[in-house]
Structure formats: C-alpha cells, structure tokens
Amino acid sequence: MEIKSKHVFFLFGCVLLIAVILSALYAFSPLSERPHRSSFKRRFASETLLTERASVDLGFNSFYFAGLAPDKIYLGNYSAPLLLEYMNTSLTEIEQVRVKLPELDSLPSPARLRMVVDSPYFFVNHGGMPLILRGRVGSWEARAIMPDSDYYFVDAEPLSANSLVLRSFSTYFKGYQLAKKTSLQAPYFKFNHDLLQRQGDGVFSVDGELLFSKELKRVIYIYSYRSQYIVADTSLNLFFRGRTIDTFNTANVSVLEIPSQNKSVLASLPTIVNGHACVSFKYLFVQSNLLSASESEERFERSSVVDIYDLSQGRYVESFYIPDFKNLKMTDFRVVGKRVIIMFSRYLVVYEMNEALPT
Amino acid sequence: MVDGANKIIALMKKLNFLDVIVFLFMFLFIYAAVSKLVEYDLFRAQLGKSPLLTRYAGIFSWVVPGVELIVAGMLFIPRYQLAGLYGSFILMLGFTGYIAFILTFSPYVPCSCGGILGGMGWTEHLVFNGAFTMLAIAGIALYVRQDAKHQVVV
C-alpha cells in the first residue's frame, strides 16, 4: 500500500514537472510577448472610418476572392476547386456555378487550382500541371488558350484577355522570378529576372503577393517580409520601387538548405511585415502586422490595420482599421470604390468608407 | 487451426505484458531519436518554427533525441528499468502536453516529427501520445507489482 502511494506521488510529481516546464516555455516564448512597437508613424483619417453594411455566413472557411465586378463579388473555393460562388455587394443574392473544363479528364492536386474572374472572361489557372484556361463569364466553360504551356508557375494574374503575369520558381536561379505570358504573338514568354531582388535566398526573401491594377495598367508586387513594393508596366519593365512606411528594409528570415530533399525551409519564425494586399484604382492597400509609434496597442490587437499608398506618386496616404468580426481576424480583403469587402474566415462582410478616396 | 490458436494463447500467457511495454517504448524512442538525428538540420529548422521552442531550438534539437536514447538505454538495463519507465512517462506526457498546448494557444501549427510519425495529423498524434502515456503508467504499475512479488519470494 505504501509503495503504491509512493509511486502515485511520483507520477504526480512528473505531471507537475511537465506543467512547470511548459508554462516556463510559454512565459519566455514570443506568444506571451506584447507586440513590438516600431518607430514609424501612421495617420488615421475620418474619411476611411468603416461602417458595416452587410454580412453573410459562407458556411466554410475555404473561400478566396476570385474577382470583382460592379456590384458582383466572385469567390472560389480551395476545397471545391471548380465551384464558383457569386453575389451582389448587398450580399442578398448568392448564386453558385460549376465551371466546366471539357478538355480535362483529371485534376491532380486540385487545391492548387485558382479561378480569376475578370469580366467578360474568367481564367482557370493551375501552376503545377501547368494549366491556363480561359472562358466567358456566363457560359462558364474554360479552354486552353496558350500556344506553349509547359511552364510551371506559383501565381498567375491576368493582365488582359490574352496575357498574364506569372510568378514562378526558377530551378536555374533557385528563386522566384516574374514572367509575362501571352497567347497573341511571339515571344509567348518573357522573363524579367531583375524585378525581384533577393536578399540572400531566392524564395523567402522575395516572397510576396502579385497584383495588377487594371486602371493604372501596372503590375504590382509587394514583398511579405520587407518594406518594399515593385511597380512595373504590363511588359514587366520596372516603373519604380516603392517603400512601405515601416522600417524592415531587410527580410528577417533565416533559411536552411536541405540538400537531401533538394529544398530550402525556414529555420525560424519570420517577421511577416506585409500581410494581404489589394489594389483599387491608383491605391495600394496593405495589411500591416507592425504596431506604429503612436497608435493604441489595444486597438491594434482587436483589429487589422491597413495602410494606403498612392501608386501614381509612390507615397503613403493614410491608414485605417478593420475591426475583428465575431472575434475573428480579417483573412483577406478587397476594395472597390467606397466599399471594403472583407473575409473573416467563413464570414464575408461588406463595409463602407465615410468618403471615397480622391481619384 | 485450433492447435495454432492454442499455441498463440499459450505464448500470450507466457509473454510478460511488462516486457511488451518496455520493448514498445525502446522501439519508439530509438526510432524517434534516430529519425530526428538522421535529418538533424530539418528537425532543428522545424523546432525553430515552433512558437514555444523557437528561442531554444538549438538546445532542444539535441536534448530531445538525447533523452530519448538515454531512456531507451535505461529500459534495456534491468536495474534502471523503473527509472526508464518514469522517463518514458515524462517524455510522453511532455510531448502530449506540448501538442495540446500548440493546438490551443498557437496561431498556427508547425510540425516537427520525423519518419512515419510525421505523417500523422495533430489530433491523431494527440491520441497516439495519450495512449502511450497510459501505457507508461501501466508499465510502472506492473513493474511495481512484480517487484513486490519478487520481494515476497525472496
């Protein structure tokens, strides 16, 4: 009896030991730290205060923005790759359509398929097959359009009915690069190796988001881990390199090469400076993860902050907050005129700014 | 057929359940430690991405497989078997607690298991670890009971 209770006592001792170790790890981990306050300043103006106009529960958190048209929001779905859902901006009429791909009899890694709606066309892209298909909105049937399409890519952004800008991984340069692909005249393919400037490794230090401003006819690339964006014309000639307001000039990533698996991985937690981004007219909207010098820490923790840049002049305009919705952080967003369309995991919410930004 | 079944039952009776537990733990820890050390760089990088361990990735990347091997060694030597079982319990509880912690508190879920253990989902992993934690307790209980019997005999 005595031996038994001695061992029960020991076991509880072990449980206590583990609890103490885990709590200590937590206490000294970045999880329990307050956000680091940077030295740059933000300007918050009243015209970009948001008012909620409509919201809808999409039922799943696997949706992504496929495109916008006047009074139309198109959503794709990672889990149901051929399903396209669209709705008006009051979110009252929601419809679904199943895209037809008659030339295709199988779809490997379906989650890599992306749909982009750019009325009157829509594109179905799959960088791993690789696949670039185009169809008409309404008929919802897409077919191959590119003369030679054996070039793998990571992202694709349509520039026009017949051309796209691609981000791809070059095995020769061991890094990402941008290229333009067109179906009209040779060369069907044009690289620009110099647009993305690496800082050390060619993947993580240049990782970012590829955007296209239809109104300005400019390709925009914003780095995720450092305070820079690139503006180029539709032939991928550099227009200018812009700076975001924060001070992360160098990507804070440590990368490890694994020769046995022929890949490189991140070896520590990176600082993601710029989260999601989108363009609307001449403005670039960037969700920033950094707390500025004078803003309220409490407010920052309960919202996502978006910085606005004027792409025609390359300057910072102002910032606004996207408050958390049902305790969920914003997962992606788009801006059309006065409207800000925001995804919070499975919820889609439409907000309106007090005033439209000057055009 | 009946003969074969009887043979298996006889073998089960002869087989000491404690030995099975000890063998399972030795196998598990040696496998886990070796699969971590074989791809040490990758293991270290994965620990570096864990929000809980990122600052101590260098230490933990040696301590974890090291302790796993020491515990396996202790289980092999009869004198240290009880200590080895306690070591197994602490390790399994530590892993289970760590997973539960990551699933609850971390904004994202990094992965740092080698070999086929890496193929398991986090919830499966939690169940697997929970089962092995129970097995360690069972091992300690069996050891203590056998030990008491031996003492009576002596």
Side-chain angles (χ1 to χ4, degrees), chain B residues 1-149:
Chain B
M1 280 301 277
V2 178
D3 198 37
N6 280 338
K7 265 185 191 161
I8 290 170
I9 291 167
L11 191 71
M12 294 256 287
K13 275 183 185 161
K14 240 203 293 184
L15 240 168
N16 190 334
F17 193 49
L18 176 61
D19 290 339
V20 176
I21 292 177
V22 166
F23 176 77
L24 277 178
F25 271 115
M26 281 191 334
F27 180 77
L28 176 71
F29 288 139
I30 291 173
Y31 177 76
V34 169
S35 65
K36 283 174 188 119
L37 292 174
V38 163
E39 294 211 305
Y40 173 75
D41 286 341
L42 193 62
F43 174 59
R44 189 183 162 141
Q46 284 162 338
L47 288 189
K49 275 182 282 188
S50 159
L52 217 51
L53 302 176
T54 180
R55 292 191 180 142
Y56 317 102
I59 309 168
F60 273 88
S61 60
W62 285 113
V63 166
V64 173
V67 171
E68 282 174 340
L69 287 177
I70 290 170
V71 168
M74 282 162 96
L75 287 169
F76 188 70
I77 304 164
R79 251 186 86 189
Y80 299 116
Q81 211 171 49
L82 184 63
L85 284 167
Y86 267 108
S88 311
F89 176 68
I90 291 177
L91 274 176
M92 291 320 294
L93 195 70
F95 293 146
T96 314
Y98 170 75
I99 295 174
F101 208 93
I102 286 283
L103 287 178
T104 333
F105 291 102
S106 176
Y108 53 87
V109 182
C111 177
S112 36
C113 285
I116 67 163
L117 300 178
M120 271 194 273
W122 283 88
T123 318
E124 289 155 283
H125 221 128
L126 198 60
V127 173
F128 177 88
N129 281 11
F132 265 91
T133 312
M134 290 303 171
L135 217 55
I137 297 176
I140 293 168
L142 284 172
Y143 186 93
V144 171
R145 207 168 65 189
Q146 278 183 14
D147 205 35
K149 268 190 207 157

Side-chain angles (χ1 to χ4, degrees), chain A residues 3 6-7 10-11 14-15 17-18 22 25-26 28-31 33 256 258 260-261 263 265-269, chain B residues 39 41-42 45 48-49 51-56 60 82 86 89-90 93-94 97-98 101 107-108 137 140 144:
Chain A
I3 295 172
K6 187 181 85 182
H7 284 284
F10 276 166
L11 285 176
C14 297
V15 174
L17 177 75
I18 291 297
L22 283 176
L25 281 176
Y26 178 73
F28 292 103
S29 80
L31 288 175
E33 241 171 37
L256 182 80
I258 309 280
S260 63
Q261 294 185 20
K263 66 176 182 183
V265 295
L266 279 177
S268 70
L269 295 170
Chain B
E39 294 211 305
D41 286 341
L42 193 62
K49 275 182 282 188
L52 217 51
L53 302 176
T54 180
R55 292 191 180 142
Y56 317 102
F60 273 88
L82 184 63
Y86 267 108
F89 176 68
I90 291 177
L93 195 70
Y98 170 75
F101 208 93
Y108 53 87
I137 297 176
I140 293 168
V144 171

Side-chain angles (χ1 to χ4, degrees), chain A residues 93-142:
Chain A
E93 297 154 32
I94 301 180
E95 283 174 83
Q96 267 189 5
V97 67
R98 206 178 165 75
V99 166
K100 292 182 286 283
L101 311 176
E103 297 165 338
L104 225 66
D105 42 14
S106 71
L107 190 63
S109 40
R112 282 195 65 183
L113 188 131
R114 290 285 176 285
M115 289 201 274
V116 185
V117 182
D118 183 11
S119 213
Y121 296 106
F122 76 101
F123 292 82
V124 178
N125 303 321
H126 190 307
M129 287 185 63
L131 202 71
I132 297 172
L133 310 176
R134 190 189 70 197
R136 276 192 173 272
V137 168
S139 85
W140 300 118
E141 189 177 291

Side-chain angles (χ1 to χ4, degrees), chain A residues 221-250:
Chain A
Y221 188 86
I222 173 140
Y223 292 119
S224 297
Y225 303 115
R226 49 178 157 139
S227 58
Q228 256 185 65
Y229 58 91
I230 301 160
V231 181
D233 67 14
T234 50
S235 307
L236 292 187
N237 300 310
L238 178 70
F239 202 60
F240 70 91
R241 292 178 193 277
R243 294 211 153 272
T244 54
I245 49 175
D246 57 84
T247 45
F248 273 80
N249 297 333
T250 317

Side-chain angles (χ1 to χ4, degrees), chain A residues 279-293:
Chain A
V279 277
S280 173
F281 189 59
K282 62 173 183 177
Y283 295 105
L284 170 67
F285 297 82
V286 183
Q287 180 245 319
S288 167
N289 288 325
L290 301 173
L291 176 68
S292 72

